[in-house]
Amino acid sequence: MWVLSMLSALADNKTIMAIFAALAGDIGLYVAGGISRAKQDAAKQAAEKLAAAQDRLEMDREATDAERAARDLPDEAARREAMRWARH
């Protein structure tokens, strides 16, 4: 019974209610900031994955071009070209 009277007294006190409201708002902003940071991290990781995929695609294109050029070479020249690519 005394708990209800304390809660009623606290609810009537505008200063305490303003403090509780401010705390609730701060907690809400903190949670929203965490969600925002998580979304930013996810976007950054997605951009890094896309850049890595584009790099792999470009390397595959270069390798394919080198393979096509090597087909027309004599065996010894093709071997030298393959060794050059193997060092990269």
Side-chain angles (χ1 to χ4, degrees):
M1 185 81 165
W2 65 273
V3 173
L4 290 177
S5 64
M6 287 296 281
L7 288 176
S8 176
L10 290 176
D12 288 338
N13 188 331
K14 292 186 188 293
T15 304
I16 291 176
M17 290 309 292
I19 291 170
F20 281 142
L23 286 173
D26 289 345
I27 291 170
L29 288 174
Y30 179 76
V31 170
I35 292 170
S36 176
R37 283 187 297 275
K39 286 181 181 178
Q40 288 174 346
D41 288 344
K44 181 180 174 185
Q45 289 177 354
E48 289 171 353
K49 286 181 181 179
L50 177 61
Q54 289 172 336
D55 286 345
R56 282 192 305 274
L57 181 61
E58 183 61 29
M59 287 190 309
D60 287 347
R61 285 183 185 145
E62 289 175 2
T64 301
D65 291 343
E67 289 169 357
R68 287 182 184 144
R71 280 189 211 138
D72 297 332
L73 297 176
D75 288 342
E76 185 58 34
R79 194 172 297 114
R80 281 194 308 268
E81 182 70 16
M83 291 302 292
R84 186 175 72 85
W85 278 96
R87 289 186 195 123
H88 286 262

